[in-house]
Structures are given as structure tokens and as C-alpha cells.
Amino acid sequence: MTAGRARPPDSAGRIGLMAIVQPTGERPPGFLPPEQRDLLRLCGDAPQPVADLASDSGLPVGVVRVLLGELVTHGLVRITPPEAESPSHRPDARLLRDVINGLRAL
């Protein structure tokens, strides 16, 4: 299934549990292992989190990450971090200070 690989290829980057997977619409090469074909089918037309793909496929998350990394390498899917992980959606430093001060006041 993963041919002994324990991690996705470095070219795929970090694949977080809540990262969003979306098919690129490219045609698969001549041969894809059945598990990769199943993941592509599960992606459908709508973006899916990695956790949902693992749950729906019945495969362990680590295996799904390796298989998705291969699909990224083939240009068949695009993986983006969830909004909460992207730098533009980080909480404001002032807000964090206010929360810390509020917790200290308890």
C-alpha cells in the first residue's frame, strides 16, 4: 500500500490532520494503486479534510498521508492548510494578551 514509506514525500510538504484536500482535475497516470484511486474518488468535487478521508477510507491517517503525498507528487490533488493554520488567520497579539490577562484575573 505505501511500499514501506512511513512519511509522504518532502515535495508534498506537511500534511496536517485538518489540511484540506482538493482534486486538481488532472487525469491520473496509467496506473494508480487502488487505495489512491479510492482516495481520489472520495475527494469527489468538494474539498475534504485529511481526517475525513482517513475515516471514510477506513485507512490509518499515516497511510492516508503517505498516499496523498504521492497524489500531490503526481499533480492529482492540492493540499492546503486549514485557515486556522495559515499566517493571515493568526489571532491578534493584543487579543491574546487580553485573554492571558483575563485568565490571570480568575
Side-chain angles (χ1 to χ4, degrees):
M1 194 176 313
T2 63
R5 294 178 310 272
R7 286 186 266 166
D10 290 337
S11 61
R14 182 177 173 274
I15 301 175
L17 191 59
M18 294 308 296
I20 305 300
V21 181
Q22 186 167 11
T24 61
E26 294 292 320
R27 289 189 173 265
F31 174 78
L32 274 182
E35 296 82 11
Q36 288 182 353
R37 282 196 311 265
D38 289 345
L39 286 176
L40 276 177
R41 182 184 51 76
L42 288 171
C43 286
D45 295 327
Q48 300 284 330
V50 171
D52 287 358
L53 291 174
S55 174
D56 293 345
S57 68
L59 297 171
V61 173
V63 171
V64 170
R65 285 178 172 149
V66 170
L67 296 174
L68 288 174
E70 292 292 318
L71 292 174
V72 167
T73 302
H74 292 306
L76 299 173
V77 297
R78 180 176 33 258
I79 299 177
T80 55
E83 289 184 10
E85 289 183 16
S86 61
S88 64
H89 288 85
R90 290 197 175 139
D92 180 38
R94 188 175 55 116
L95 173 64
L96 292 175
R97 274 193 303 274
D98 290 345
V99 169
I100 290 170
N101 291 335
L103 290 172
R104 285 183 182 148
L106 293 175

